Amino acid sequence: MLLRELASAVPGVRLIGDGDVEITSIEYDSRAVIEGSLFVAVPGFKVDGHAYLGRAIEGGAPAVVVQEDHEGLWQAVAEGGGVDVLVVPDTRVALAQLSAEFFGHPARKLGTIGITGTDGKTSLAHLVAHVLNHSGQKAGLISTAECRIGDEPLPDSGRFTTPEAPQVQAMLALMVEAGCKWAVIEATSHGLALHRVDECEYDIAAFTNVGRDHLDFHGSEEEYLAAKGRLFSLLDESVDKGIVKTAVLNWDDVAALYFAPRTKARRIRFGADPMENVSIESCEADGFGSNIVINLMSLKSHPADDSIDEGRLRLRFPKPGRFNAYNAAAAAGIALAAGLRVYEIADSLESWTGAPGRMERVDAGQPFSVIVDFAHSPDSLRRVLELLRETSRGRIIAVFGCIGERDKDRRPGMAKAAAALADYTFVTDDNPYSEDRDAILQDIADGMRAAGKLEGHDFSVVADRREAIAQALAMAVDEDAVLLAGKGHEREVHIGDTEYACDDREVARRVLGELGYEA
């Protein structure tokens, strides 16, 4: 595609040059630039892409995209000639606009579902993709745990957060090529605030719940909420694809009152109140699952509601806990908005096998439970531990840490949850990154002590996560439950500039094998 054709996608752009150069890829990392790449200089948190314009040009970039308020960093490049320059108001916004144009606006050829929330969004995204695929409506998935088309994983999986806009648009293009009808996108607060999931032309937007999280990045709870609220605002900006724009709202969460006015879209409300469109009538534990009754009721609040099925779903849902009942209700609401019928929804919900690293059991025939979950905040850890306390007859042994360079308020909060609900806790690595690993561990240990717990009696500090898992499993006896929390699907622990391999599921399987158990 010619640069001037790409430039037409960016409002307020100024082109320095003739724009006749051919662009073969869009890059925001100068190290990835090859001959023909358009380099977009994005101001980052640690480095500024404008400082790498020279490296990108040396790498073969025939044109660069710069931000108008960084003129001191790019003026010499523009005056020197040799490359074309696109000057834009915001390079992050432009990165999404240029990427969508480069890949032919694939989201306009798909029904697009965006899912946000503090907890449960990854599970819900996987569940919705499963429901659609199981019902014969081929769907692609972009989530922090895994990206896939139908049942086939894409190479860009196992990351920590939402991919950048060029990767998002490239995956949407692959979904179109593969004949998908739907794309399900986990829209994190980072992804929304940094415009990574712009230009996705949303048809349905949903949220699970909103708690306190990522304040190190957003700065305040108000900014965090505003970032998630962008998903609902984007509904009104998306092109008409013949799908009724719909907001699926957890009406039991106060954040619904913030999100609802941000869109003119039809509302489908879910929650415990019997007057909601999707209401949870009952939820009873059944082994490592739940018997759930969900009522579906169209309130005729929008002309398009005439197309929505009504009925009652009686499910044996394969995941335990009331929070998973809310995920089932949210998925039912999204499926109704997508045009599925009641019988299709019920069958699909019951056949789900779960999301990677979310309440995932590791079973090697041992007489105790091993559960891997991504719970990495005080609220999410508390919910999982409360569930295990309700369903386990033995002790609860918890293994968790706290991420470095992030909200330090998590540490005493998670310690307090473990102190209240676990019988024994192993305090260990999460991802320290550049922060002092031992300082993080001691912050958590101090929280355990403040809750009245004694080191060596109620908890231990074992820095290496693999060793902590091994000790926890060696301690477990019949009917105990071992919770490996915080990492979920992740495969490494990052310490400074190094890392060590640690997929909690694989480590647990190996240790259980060493203890003499066989799958």
Side-chain angles (χ1 to χ4, degrees):
M1 183 174 288
L2 293 180
L3 178 64
R4 65 170 178 270
E5 296 172 337
L6 273 176
S8 66
V10 184
V13 67
R14 177 161 59 97
L15 171 61
I16 302 174
D18 59 21
D20 286 335
V21 295
E22 185 174 355
I23 301 303
T24 57
S25 68
I26 297 176
E27 304 293 347
Y28 57 90
D29 184 340
S30 62
R31 295 168 295 184
V33 168
I34 58 174
E35 195 72 32
S37 297
L38 174 63
F39 176 66
V40 183
V42 176
F45 302 106
K46 296 182 178 179
V47 296
D48 188 335
H50 292 85
Y52 295 88
L53 291 170
R55 179 185 293 181
I57 293 168
E58 291 174 4
V64 295
V65 183
V66 297
Q67 195 160 293
E68 58 188 9
D69 62 358
H70 283 54
E71 187 172 3
L73 296 174
W74 57 259
Q75 189 174 28
V77 172
E79 292 174 349
V83 295
D84 287 2
V85 179
L86 294 184
V87 185
V88 301
D90 187 317
T91 49
R92 277 205 170 276
V93 174
L95 182 61
Q97 294 165 335
L98 292 164
S99 299
E101 182 73 16
F102 182 79
F103 287 102
H105 293 276
R108 296 177 182 176
K109 304 161 191 171
L110 296 161
T112 311
I113 300 167
I115 296 170
T116 195
T118 300
D119 297 317
K121 58 185 176 293
T122 301
S123 293
L124 179 57
H126 280 254
L127 176 55
V128 170
H130 167 78
V131 168
L132 292 167
N133 281 306
H134 190 267
S135 301
Q137 300 198 15
K138 190 171 183 179
L141 171 69
I142 299 174
S143 86
T144 56
E146 187 177 45
C147 302
R148 58 174 33 166
I149 294 175
D151 293 328
E152 294 297 319
L154 291 169
D156 189 20
S157 291
R159 291 162 289 95
F160 295 103
T161 187
T162 309
E164 287 283 359
Q167 286 72 46
V168 169
Q169 296 298 325
M171 285 189 278
L172 292 174
L174 288 174
M175 293 175 194
V176 172
E177 185 179 334
C180 288
K181 183 174 181 179
W182 294 95
V184 182
I185 300 172
E186 180 187 346
T188 64
S189 60
H190 286 74
L192 288 160
L194 297 174
H195 302 280
R196 294 172 180 170
V197 289
D198 284 11
E199 306 298 322
C200 290
E201 309 291 0
Y202 297 99
D203 299 291
I204 301 168
F207 89 99
T208 54
N209 52 63
V210 174
R212 177 187 170 92
D213 204 6
H214 298 306
L215 300 191
D216 55 292
F217 173 77
H218 295 286
S220 69
E221 293 183 42
E222 291 76 18
E223 288 299 317
Y224 176 58
L225 194 62
K228 292 191 173 297
R230 284 199 69 240
L231 177 63
F232 296 90
S233 300
L234 289 170
L235 275 176
D236 295 357
E237 301 173 16
S238 300
V239 298
D240 183 2
K241 292 175 261 178
I243 302 169
V244 179
K245 305 294 183 186
T246 306
V248 180
L249 304 165
N250 178 358
W251 214 249
D252 289 349
D253 192 300
V254 68
L257 300 177
Y258 177 86
F259 294 144
R262 271 149 183 76
T263 178
K264 298 175 183 176
R266 171 182 64 183
R267 298 177 189 173
I268 292 180
R269 306 181 341 189
F270 68 93
D273 191 312
M275 290 305 294
E276 309 303 358
N277 303 78
V278 181
S279 63
I280 303 167
E281 182 178 309
S282 64
C283 175
E284 298 178 356
D286 180 14
F288 199 73
S290 307
N291 291 317
I292 305 172
V293 178
I294 298 174
N295 286 315
L296 308 177
M297 178 174 64
S298 173
L299 297 183
K300 310 301 182 187
S301 61
H302 187 286
D305 287 346
D306 288 332
S307 67
I308 288 181
D309 250 2
E310 299 183 19
R312 174 176 286 181
L313 303 179
R314 294 183 180 274
L315 308 170
R316 201 288 177 175
F317 194 60
K319 293 293 178 180
R322 192 162 182 82
F323 56 88
N324 274 307
Y326 273 82
N327 276 345
I334 293 168
L336 288 174
L340 270 63
R341 318 313 295 184
V342 167
Y343 70 90
E344 295 175 304
I345 297 169
D347 188 45
S348 299
L349 290 174
E350 289 192 322
S351 64
W352 188 47
T353 57
R358 271 65 177 176
M359 292 301 291
E360 185 174 349
R361 299 180 75 182
V362 178
D363 188 356
Q366 76 278 4
F368 51 88
S369 300
V370 180
I371 298 97
V372 175
D373 192 74
F374 194 52
H376 60 286
S377 70
D379 286 345
S380 58
L381 182 61
R382 183 176 296 105
R383 275 194 290 270
V384 175
L385 288 172
E386 285 174 346
L387 173 63
L388 295 180
R389 180 58 68 196
E390 293 169 3
T391 56
S392 300
R393 298 176 62 180
R395 298 173 303 166
I396 298 174
I397 303 168
V399 178
F400 77 93
C402 287
I403 196 168
E405 303 178 359
R406 300 294 190 273
D407 184 3
K408 293 184 179 182
D409 288 345
R410 289 183 186 183
R411 299 168 192 176
M414 293 184 74
K416 183 177 180 181
L421 294 163
D423 295 288
Y424 200 90
T425 298
F426 287 90
V427 178
T428 189
D429 283 337
D430 192 305
N431 287 315
Y433 293 122
S434 63
E435 192 173 346
D436 187 324
R437 164 201 223 176
D438 293 329
I440 297 172
L441 299 177
Q442 285 309 309
D443 283 348
I444 304 170
D446 288 344
M448 298 292 293
R449 295 186 190 98
K453 299 301 178 179
L454 299 176
E455 187 168 0
H457 185 271
D458 302 300
F459 74 96
S460 297
V461 177
V462 181
D464 188 291
R465 191 175 180 93
R466 298 163 297 188
E467 178 60 25
I469 293 171
Q471 291 190 29
L473 296 180
M475 175 185 284
V477 297
D478 293 11
E479 298 187 332
D480 285 351
V482 180
L483 172 65
L484 311 180
K487 296 286 287 174
H489 63 283
E490 295 174 2
R491 302 188 183 104
E492 301 91 17
V493 171
H494 295 260
I495 305 175
D497 295 328
T498 66
E499 64 183 42
Y500 63 82
C502 185
D503 182 325
D504 286 1
R505 300 161 296 182
E506 293 304 316
V507 173
R509 290 187 187 102
R510 174 181 58 77
V511 172
L512 289 170
E514 292 170 355
L515 292 172
Y517 301 109
E518 296 180 2

mmCIF file of all heavy atoms in Angstrom, residues 160-185:
data_model
loop_
_atom_site.group_PDB
_atom_site.id
_atom_site.type_symbol
_atom_site.label_atom_id
_atom_site.label_comp_id
_atom_site.label_asym_id
_atom_site.label_seq_id
_atom_site.Cartn_x
_atom_site.Cartn_y
_atom_site.Cartn_z
ATOM 1 N N PHE A 160 1.271 -11.254 28.317
ATOM 2 C CA PHE A 160 0.829 -10.751 29.607
ATOM 3 C C PHE A 160 -0.298 -9.745 29.477
ATOM 4 O O PHE A 160 -0.985 -9.454 30.430
ATOM 5 C CB PHE A 160 2.002 -10.101 30.363
ATOM 6 C CG PHE A 160 3.066 -11.091 30.719
ATOM 7 C CD1 PHE A 160 4.249 -11.148 29.999
ATOM 8 C CD2 PHE A 160 2.877 -11.974 31.752
ATOM 9 C CE1 PHE A 160 5.232 -12.073 30.323
ATOM 10 C CE2 PHE A 160 3.860 -12.904 32.086
ATOM 11 C CZ PHE A 160 5.032 -12.952 31.365
ATOM 12 N N THR A 161 -0.479 -9.167 28.304
ATOM 13 C CA THR A 161 -1.493 -8.128 28.164
ATOM 14 C C THR A 161 -1.970 -8.094 26.721
ATOM 15 O O THR A 161 -1.597 -8.925 25.906
ATOM 16 C CB THR A 161 -0.929 -6.760 28.601
ATOM 17 O OG1 THR A 161 -1.977 -5.794 28.600
ATOM 18 C CG2 THR A 161 0.195 -6.304 27.685
ATOM 19 N N THR A 162 -2.834 -7.122 26.414
ATOM 20 C CA THR A 162 -3.383 -6.993 25.080
ATOM 21 C C THR A 162 -2.282 -6.705 24.067
ATOM 22 O O THR A 162 -1.432 -5.849 24.301
ATOM 23 C CB THR A 162 -4.403 -5.834 25.048
ATOM 24 O OG1 THR A 162 -5.327 -6.002 26.118
ATOM 25 C CG2 THR A 162 -5.138 -5.800 23.737
ATOM 26 N N PRO A 163 -2.262 -7.390 22.909
ATOM 27 C CA PRO A 163 -1.250 -7.080 21.893
ATOM 28 C C PRO A 163 -1.459 -5.680 21.336
ATOM 29 O O PRO A 163 -2.534 -5.089 21.456
ATOM 30 C CB PRO A 163 -1.489 -8.152 20.825
ATOM 31 C CG PRO A 163 -2.880 -8.622 21.043
ATOM 32 C CD PRO A 163 -3.150 -8.490 22.500
ATOM 33 N N GLU A 164 -0.420 -5.139 20.712
ATOM 34 C CA GLU A 164 -0.509 -3.810 20.117
ATOM 35 C C GLU A 164 -1.382 -3.849 18.856
ATOM 36 O O GLU A 164 -1.660 -4.905 18.290
ATOM 37 C CB GLU A 164 0.884 -3.286 19.780
ATOM 38 C CG GLU A 164 1.700 -2.875 20.996
ATOM 39 C CD GLU A 164 1.275 -1.520 21.577
ATOM 40 O OE1 GLU A 164 0.352 -0.898 21.016
ATOM 41 O OE2 GLU A 164 1.891 -1.101 22.577
ATOM 42 N N ALA A 165 -1.807 -2.665 18.430
ATOM 43 C CA ALA A 165 -2.781 -2.545 17.347
ATOM 44 C C ALA A 165 -2.389 -3.298 16.062
ATOM 45 O O ALA A 165 -3.257 -3.943 15.453
ATOM 46 C CB ALA A 165 -3.036 -1.077 17.049
ATOM 47 N N PRO A 166 -1.118 -3.252 15.597
ATOM 48 C CA PRO A 166 -0.814 -4.002 14.372
ATOM 49 C C PRO A 166 -1.071 -5.498 14.515
ATOM 50 O O PRO A 166 -1.558 -6.140 13.573
ATOM 51 C CB PRO A 166 0.681 -3.712 14.150
ATOM 52 C CG PRO A 166 0.919 -2.408 14.832
ATOM 53 C CD PRO A 166 0.036 -2.438 16.049
ATOM 54 N N GLN A 167 -0.758 -6.058 15.690
ATOM 55 C CA GLN A 167 -1.018 -7.482 15.910
ATOM 56 C C GLN A 167 -2.521 -7.766 16.000
ATOM 57 O O GLN A 167 -2.999 -8.775 15.475
ATOM 58 C CB GLN A 167 -0.318 -7.963 17.185
ATOM 59 C CG GLN A 167 1.186 -8.127 17.059
ATOM 60 C CD GLN A 167 1.917 -6.798 16.978
ATOM 61 O OE1 GLN A 167 1.644 -5.883 17.760
ATOM 62 N NE2 GLN A 167 2.832 -6.666 16.041
ATOM 63 N N VAL A 168 -3.257 -6.884 16.668
ATOM 64 C CA VAL A 168 -4.713 -7.061 16.761
ATOM 65 C C VAL A 168 -5.330 -7.075 15.369
ATOM 66 O O VAL A 168 -6.117 -7.968 15.018
ATOM 67 C CB VAL A 168 -5.343 -5.949 17.624
ATOM 68 C CG1 VAL A 168 -6.872 -5.968 17.516
ATOM 69 C CG2 VAL A 168 -4.935 -6.095 19.083
ATOM 70 N N GLN A 169 -4.988 -6.086 14.542
ATOM 71 C CA GLN A 169 -5.579 -6.007 13.213
ATOM 72 C C GLN A 169 -5.121 -7.163 12.320
ATOM 73 O O GLN A 169 -5.905 -7.671 11.506
ATOM 74 C CB GLN A 169 -5.230 -4.658 12.574
ATOM 75 C CG GLN A 169 -5.815 -3.454 13.304
ATOM 76 C CD GLN A 169 -7.332 -3.456 13.315
ATOM 77 O OE1 GLN A 169 -7.979 -3.881 12.358
ATOM 78 N NE2 GLN A 169 -7.923 -2.965 14.405
ATOM 79 N N ALA A 170 -3.878 -7.594 12.485
ATOM 80 C CA ALA A 170 -3.395 -8.743 11.702
ATOM 81 C C ALA A 170 -4.180 -10.003 12.057
ATOM 82 O O ALA A 170 -4.546 -10.796 11.171
ATOM 83 C CB ALA A 170 -1.901 -8.952 11.943
ATOM 84 N N MET A 171 -4.446 -10.200 13.350
ATOM 85 C CA MET A 171 -5.207 -11.382 13.754
ATOM 86 C C MET A 171 -6.651 -11.301 13.281
ATOM 87 O O MET A 171 -7.244 -12.305 12.868
ATOM 88 C CB MET A 171 -5.129 -11.559 15.272
ATOM 89 C CG MET A 171 -3.788 -12.087 15.737
ATOM 90 S SD MET A 171 -3.734 -12.539 17.487
ATOM 91 C CE MET A 171 -3.459 -10.946 18.229
ATOM 92 N N LEU A 172 -7.239 -10.106 13.314
ATOM 93 C CA LEU A 172 -8.596 -9.958 12.787
ATOM 94 C C LEU A 172 -8.626 -10.286 11.295
ATOM 95 O O LEU A 172 -9.578 -10.914 10.801
ATOM 96 C CB LEU A 172 -9.099 -8.537 13.033
ATOM 97 C CG LEU A 172 -9.360 -8.151 14.492
ATOM 98 C CD1 LEU A 172 -9.722 -6.676 14.598
ATOM 99 C CD2 LEU A 172 -10.474 -9.000 15.107
ATOM 100 N N ALA A 173 -7.588 -9.879 10.567
ATOM 101 C CA ALA A 173 -7.514 -10.197 9.138
ATOM 102 C C ALA A 173 -7.421 -11.709 8.917
ATOM 103 O O ALA A 173 -8.046 -12.251 7.983
ATOM 104 C CB ALA A 173 -6.320 -9.493 8.506
ATOM 105 N N LEU A 174 -6.666 -12.393 9.768
ATOM 106 C CA LEU A 174 -6.586 -13.863 9.666
ATOM 107 C C LEU A 174 -7.942 -14.498 9.931
ATOM 108 O O LEU A 174 -8.305 -15.503 9.301
ATOM 109 C CB LEU A 174 -5.547 -14.393 10.653
ATOM 110 C CG LEU A 174 -4.075 -14.135 10.330
ATOM 111 C CD1 LEU A 174 -3.188 -14.595 11.484
ATOM 112 C CD2 LEU A 174 -3.677 -14.848 9.047
ATOM 113 N N MET A 175 -8.703 -13.924 10.861
ATOM 114 C CA MET A 175 -10.039 -14.453 11.151
ATOM 115 C C MET A 175 -10.959 -14.312 9.945
ATOM 116 O O MET A 175 -11.719 -15.228 9.617
ATOM 117 C CB MET A 175 -10.635 -13.733 12.363
ATOM 118 C CG MET A 175 -9.916 -14.011 13.665
ATOM 119 S SD MET A 175 -10.577 -13.012 15.024
ATOM 120 C CE MET A 175 -9.290 -13.244 16.270
ATOM 121 N N VAL A 176 -10.892 -13.163 9.284
ATOM 122 C CA VAL A 176 -11.692 -12.960 8.069
ATOM 123 C C VAL A 176 -11.298 -13.984 7.015
ATOM 124 O O VAL A 176 -12.148 -14.637 6.388
ATOM 125 C CB VAL A 176 -11.510 -11.527 7.534
ATOM 126 C CG1 VAL A 176 -12.173 -11.380 6.167
ATOM 127 C CG2 VAL A 176 -12.082 -10.508 8.512
ATOM 128 N N GLU A 177 -9.991 -14.161 6.831
ATOM 129 C CA GLU A 177 -9.488 -15.111 5.837
ATOM 130 C C GLU A 177 -9.936 -16.533 6.142
ATOM 131 O O GLU A 177 -10.198 -17.325 5.229
ATOM 132 C CB GLU A 177 -7.956 -15.033 5.803
ATOM 133 C CG GLU A 177 -7.303 -15.872 4.726
ATOM 134 C CD GLU A 177 -5.790 -15.739 4.739
ATOM 135 O OE1 GLU A 177 -5.284 -14.694 5.190
ATOM 136 O OE2 GLU A 177 -5.117 -16.686 4.296
ATOM 137 N N ALA A 178 -10.053 -16.860 7.444
ATOM 138 C CA ALA A 178 -10.440 -18.209 7.849
ATOM 139 C C ALA A 178 -11.951 -18.419 7.835
ATOM 140 O O ALA A 178 -12.424 -19.507 8.167
ATOM 141 C CB ALA A 178 -9.897 -18.506 9.246
ATOM 142 N N GLY A 179 -12.712 -17.390 7.475
ATOM 143 C CA GLY A 179 -14.155 -17.541 7.386
ATOM 144 C C GLY A 179 -14.892 -17.363 8.699
ATOM 145 O O GLY A 179 -16.017 -17.842 8.854
ATOM 146 N N CYS A 180 -14.279 -16.664 9.649
ATOM 147 C CA CYS A 180 -14.957 -16.434 10.924
ATOM 148 C C CYS A 180 -16.125 -15.467 10.741
ATOM 149 O O CYS A 180 -16.077 -14.546 9.920
ATOM 150 C CB CYS A 180 -13.990 -15.839 11.956
ATOM 151 S SG CYS A 180 -12.769 -17.005 12.574
ATOM 152 N N LYS A 181 -17.151 -15.676 11.541
ATOM 153 C CA LYS A 181 -18.288 -14.758 11.586
ATOM 154 C C LYS A 181 -18.122 -13.748 12.712
ATOM 155 O O LYS A 181 -18.605 -12.622 12.631
ATOM 156 C CB LYS A 181 -19.589 -15.539 11.777
ATOM 157 C CG LYS A 181 -20.830 -14.657 11.773
ATOM 158 C CD LYS A 181 -22.104 -15.481 11.827
ATOM 159 C CE LYS A 181 -23.335 -14.567 11.786
ATOM 160 N NZ LYS A 181 -24.598 -15.362 11.827
ATOM 161 N N TRP A 182 -17.423 -14.163 13.782
ATOM 162 C CA TRP A 182 -17.290 -13.335 14.977
ATOM 163 C C TRP A 182 -15.825 -13.233 15.412
ATOM 164 O O TRP A 182 -15.029 -14.146 15.182
ATOM 165 C CB TRP A 182 -18.091 -13.926 16.147
ATOM 166 C CG TRP A 182 -19.567 -13.928 15.941
ATOM 167 C CD1 TRP A 182 -20.327 -14.961 15.465
ATOM 168 C CD2 TRP A 182 -20.469 -12.848 16.192
ATOM 169 N NE1 TRP A 182 -21.646 -14.601 15.414
ATOM 170 C CE2 TRP A 182 -21.773 -13.302 15.862
ATOM 171 C CE3 TRP A 182 -20.313 -11.548 16.675
ATOM 172 C CZ2 TRP A 182 -22.898 -12.501 15.988
ATOM 173 C CZ3 TRP A 182 -21.443 -10.749 16.809
ATOM 174 C CH2 TRP A 182 -22.716 -11.218 16.464
ATOM 175 N N ALA A 183 -15.533 -12.128 16.081
ATOM 176 C CA ALA A 183 -14.262 -11.966 16.794
ATOM 177 C C ALA A 183 -14.598 -11.573 18.224
ATOM 178 O O ALA A 183 -15.405 -10.664 18.454
ATOM 179 C CB ALA A 183 -13.407 -10.886 16.154
ATOM 180 N N VAL A 184 -13.999 -12.274 19.185
ATOM 181 C CA VAL A 184 -14.188 -11.969 20.600
ATOM 182 C C VAL A 184 -12.875 -11.397 21.113
ATOM 183 O O VAL A 184 -11.829 -12.043 21.018
ATOM 184 C CB VAL A 184 -14.575 -13.232 21.402
ATOM 185 C CG1 VAL A 184 -14.810 -12.875 22.866
ATOM 186 C CG2 VAL A 184 -15.810 -13.888 20.799
ATOM 187 N N ILE A 185 -12.938 -10.178 21.657
ATOM 188 C CA ILE A 185 -11.729 -9.469 22.061
ATOM 189 C C ILE A 185 -11.795 -9.134 23.548
ATOM 190 O O ILE A 185 -12.741 -8.482 24.004
ATOM 191 C CB ILE A 185 -11.563 -8.166 21.254
ATOM 192 C CG1 ILE A 185 -11.472 -8.479 19.758
ATOM 193 C CG2 ILE A 185 -10.334 -7.388 21.714
ATOM 194 C CD1 ILE A 185 -11.495 -7.254 18.872
#
